[in-house]
Amino acid sequence: MAIGTPIYTPKLPYLFAMMFALGILFLDQKYDYFAPIKNTKTYLFAETKTLTNKLLISSNNFFDGFKSSQKLAFEIDILKENIDLLSIENNFIRQNIDSRNISFDGKPSKIIEFDTNQYFCCSNHRLIVSTDSNYIHGYVINEAGLIGQIYNQTEKYVEVILLSDKRHNIPLMHNQETFFCIGKGMGKPNKIQCEIDNNLVNKNLIGSLMQTSGFGGIFDRGINVGYVIDTELKSDLLVITIELIASPLVTDKVYILTKNDF
Amino acid sequence: MTFKEFLIIFSMIIFGSILDDFVSSKIENFYLHTNFAYLVFSYWVFACPEKIGVLFSIMFGLIIDFISGSAIGFHAFMYLLFAYIIHIYAFTFRLFSYLQLAVFFGGSATFITTINYLIEHTSNYSYANIFIALVFHIII
């Protein structure tokens, strides 16, 4: 292909355009000015994915319709879904059965979109789940345990921020309630960090279980979060790294719960 | 630029963005971060510098920001910067060998990835990942 002849390149339009782009970048990073546009994009992508899945299922059912086992196949799919949901409910109840007052009144849901590239490479750990209710405050569990909390809701889709997201903080406590801290996402899959006063700790914490403390009004108290895998001393603070029990990659079936008020 | 030309370039850049989603992946403890959308854009600026100016650069950049979920304005700024560089050195690039061109475009694609990490994902910055991305972009 013949390369076109370069013409005179004016500097000023490029300079103004670059300053304009930098201004937009500043507004987005500092004030999150374009959040409505990003929410619209999230909604459009989720809606497109849902419609595409529906079309695929419909076309599969259309071809299966010529077979006599179509009804059976449909019933098997429904049973499989119900088994997954019961498994989540069972694990959660078993996990919390020995002292907690957490009544299981969660809404079953499904992950519509999960950007695994962002999850593995970068620090934005978010996923989109579908819902038929309005949620202002809620947290999300899967069959392995707690994975995140509700961040934003657009129509029938909810954006969930995972515990490992860089912007997420969760109030934690040691399972023997010896100390409390704020678990901050590290932007790395399945890991969060806590800083505690070194003077409050007088034993080796590796392998200790960390749970939600119930502070903050989002999470119920006593939900298992993860185990301490590493500790590091930074001046007077002990920085502990916690590996989360639950991974969002395990299944696309989730439950949305809200904190119980007593 | 005619509407047909705009459509061809736009659809190729969108295809590059989709390819980024598929090809970018975790390899053992490393992560391959590709930037096909920029490579396609920079190719068209290099091939048709008189067709792609300020307006199209900023427009394509904002569209990629919107689609990829990165900070709004980041790719717009980067696309403008490299469109300007390619324009002012257009005659110099004609003297470059294919290897030199590959190094420049691969390096600029990796530069954008690096700045993205430094601005948005500081805790995930890794020299190993940047080096892998550089080698991949030069080869591509």
Side-chain angles (χ1 to χ4, degrees), chain A residues 22-151:
Chain A
L22 277 176
I24 294 174
L25 182 63
F26 174 76
L27 283 174
D28 184 52
Q29 291 290 86
K30 184 88 176 169
Y31 301 109
D32 206 14
Y33 195 72
F34 300 100
I37 299 176
K38 289 181 183 176
N39 290 345
T40 309
K41 170 231 165 186
T42 305
Y43 174 74
L44 282 171
F45 274 41
E47 193 72 17
T48 308
K49 204 148 189 181
T50 310
L51 284 170
T52 316
N53 285 339
K54 275 185 186 166
L55 275 169
L56 277 170
I57 291 168
S58 301
S59 55
N60 277 342
N61 285 342
F62 176 76
F63 290 111
D64 285 343
F66 294 104
K67 301 176 193 169
S68 59
S69 57
Q70 178 202 3
K71 230 181 189 178
L72 279 171
F74 189 65
E75 279 177 18
I76 286 170
D77 284 339
I78 294 175
L79 282 169
K80 274 185 190 171
E81 293 244 350
N82 288 338
I83 285 170
D84 286 338
L85 291 170
L86 282 169
S87 163
I88 296 174
E89 188 176 337
N90 197 27
N91 281 342
F92 187 74
I93 292 171
R94 213 177 328 124
Q95 201 184 53
N96 296 283
I97 202 167
D98 55 346
S99 69
R100 332 296 180 216
N101 294 317
I102 303 169
S103 65
F104 198 86
D105 57 350
K107 296 268 188 244
S109 186
K110 198 173 176 178
I111 297 175
I112 300 296
E113 194 184 327
F114 182 26
D115 192 345
T116 49
N117 284 336
Q118 284 286 322
Y119 183 68
F120 285 119
C121 88
C122 307
S123 49
N124 284 340
H125 298 178
R126 312 276 170 95
L127 48 87
I128 311 292
V129 299
S130 59
T131 180
D132 54 1
S133 304
N134 283 322
Y135 285 101
I136 302 172
H137 304 293
Y139 58 95
V140 179
I141 63 165
N142 66 8
E143 64 180 25
L146 181 66
I147 60 171
Q149 76 175 83
I150 304 295
Y151 180 71

